[in-house]
Amino acid sequence: MDASIQVTNLCKDYGAFQLKDISFTLPQGCIMGLIGENGAGKSTTLRLILNLIHKDSGKITVFGLDSEKEDQAIKQQIGVVFDENFFHSVLRAKDLPAILRPIYQGWDDQLYHSLCIRFRLPQKKKLKEYSRGMKMKLSIAAAMAHHPRLLILDEATSGLDPVVRNEILDLFLEFIQDERNSILLSSHITSDLERVADYITFIHQGKILASEPKDDLLLSHRILRCGAERFASIDRSQIIGLRKSGVGVEALIKVDPSQPQAYEGCVLDPATLEDIMLFSIKGDAQ
């Protein structure tokens, strides 16, 4: 399967923070969720992919093109949405085509207007009169109106109500029905990623903890609950993080399917992406 994005051994050193040997692949026709705590390196990774900041080492290709040498050709084929609206507050939705049409070779007035209608965006209101949800939908409409092959979205659904989020997620799922289109979506709302993502890349303190198909990640992890005495016999190599209480232990484990007897006397529940994040980052030391 061809890759929309290939990141290999990417490094960036800010002194107090380092992005260290980041590697992952986003296949065409897929959505990848980028997760991690604030300051983990998600936005830095996205900005490096977009060539907004320069890497110290490593390699980034987008559609097989070098992200630095082929910057302009790549940017004609991608749409970008950050968590803040960057259009001036005095502009109106109907003003944007005149601004963006000269920038993007593939700009499509009809597609832009159809997305504005779908999102119920008033054309003549100034953006300062828009709600946060309306501004985000406008940014997405503008990002998609030149027929990009790749969307890069940084917290595009944060702070939005569930109805608006579902509307946007539906559009993302439609976007990748053309199997040449892909999405890289950074989000703290892990339930959104559980709904739409095909792959998950988990960054913690500038390092990759996991980058794999979402279903594989969720199937391989379980929340184990048992008493302290029973927990003492669990293989410590399977434990990722744990919480102790007066009545027992709750732990995130990476299950070994070849040894089902290892968990007799314990309760095993499915793990969510939020569980995986919280136990990996905040779980007690083993």
Side-chain angles (χ1 to χ4, degrees):
M1 187 181 296
D2 293 335
S4 290
I5 300 175
Q6 179 81 53
V7 176
T8 308
N9 301 127
L10 180 63
C11 296
K12 180 68 177 178
D13 189 345
Y14 285 110
F17 172 79
Q18 297 88 37
L19 205 64
K20 308 166 192 172
D21 291 320
I22 298 294
S23 297
F24 63 86
T25 300
L26 170 58
Q28 283 187 13
C30 297
I31 298 176
M32 174 176 283
L34 194 60
I35 64 173
E37 74 278 18
N38 288 332
K42 304 186 301 300
S43 293
T44 298
T45 300
L46 296 184
R47 282 166 170 74
L48 286 164
I49 292 170
L50 292 168
N51 201 29
L52 299 177
I53 53 177
H54 295 294
K55 63 184 185 292
D56 293 332
S57 61
K59 185 175 182 180
I60 304 169
T61 60
V62 182
F63 316 122
L65 304 174
D66 184 279
S67 66
E68 292 181 332
K69 296 177 182 177
E70 304 288 345
D71 178 66
Q72 292 304 311
I74 289 171
K75 285 179 178 173
Q76 285 294 327
Q77 302 180 72
I78 63 176
V80 181
V81 178
F82 291 109
D83 61 343
E84 294 293 335
N85 171 63
F86 287 99
F87 297 121
H88 198 284
S89 62
V90 301
L91 291 173
R92 299 161 295 180
K94 72 186 190 79
D95 298 327
L96 298 192
I99 297 169
L100 298 175
R101 194 183 300 117
I103 298 173
Y104 292 108
Q105 297 167 7
W107 180 267
D108 185 336
D109 281 348
Q110 186 174 351
L111 175 58
Y112 172 75
H113 289 304
S114 69
L115 288 169
C116 287
I117 291 170
R118 174 173 177 166
F119 284 149
R120 298 175 298 281
L121 295 174
Q123 291 290 295
K124 297 182 180 181
K125 265 190 178 182
K126 292 182 178 180
L127 300 192
K128 63 184 178 183
E129 301 175 62
Y130 273 25
S131 67
R132 175 174 170 77
M134 291 165 66
K135 289 177 181 177
M136 188 56 64
K137 289 192 283 188
L138 180 65
S139 295
I140 291 170
M144 297 181 70
H146 64 286
H147 298 281
R149 293 173 54 194
L150 170 67
L151 292 177
I152 295 180
L153 307 149
D154 192 5
E155 299 294 343
T157 60
S158 67
L160 305 182
D161 66 66
V163 174
V164 174
R165 292 207 329 267
N166 280 332
E167 193 174 4
I168 290 172
L169 295 176
D170 285 342
L171 182 62
F172 292 166
L173 291 172
E174 291 174 23
F175 177 75
I176 63 161
Q177 292 308 302
D178 182 336
E179 295 183 358
R180 67 194 290 272
N181 294 342
S182 308
I183 298 175
L184 179 58
L185 171 60
S186 168
S187 180
H188 285 106
I189 307 175
T190 53
S191 59
D192 286 354
L193 299 180
E194 287 184 8
R195 179 183 165 195
V196 302
D198 302 291
Y199 290 82
I200 295 293
T201 293
F202 181 8
I203 301 180
H204 174 52
Q205 295 181 348
K207 296 181 180 179
I208 295 281
L209 293 191
S211 186
E212 58 187 280
K214 176 196 67 183
D215 291 343
D216 291 352
L217 182 66
L218 293 176
L219 285 171
S220 63
H221 290 77
R222 291 288 185 272
I223 300 297
L224 177 144
R225 296 180 176 87
C226 62
E229 184 176 345
R230 175 67 181 90
F231 184 76
S233 64
I234 299 293
D235 182 353
R236 287 296 190 271
S237 67
Q238 298 174 15
I239 301 168
I240 296 168
L242 61 93
R243 289 196 290 253
K244 296 179 180 178
S245 68
V247 296
V249 178
E250 183 180 51
L252 176 71
I253 64 168
K254 192 162 187 178
V255 297
D256 184 349
S258 68
Q259 299 183 21
Q261 72 282 357
Y263 314 112
E264 290 180 358
C266 303
V267 175
L268 286 182
D269 291 324
T272 64
L273 290 178
E274 185 171 332
D275 290 330
I276 293 171
M277 277 188 61
L278 291 176
F279 276 94
S280 297
I281 296 169
K282 295 291 188 181
D284 296 335
Q286 299 175 28

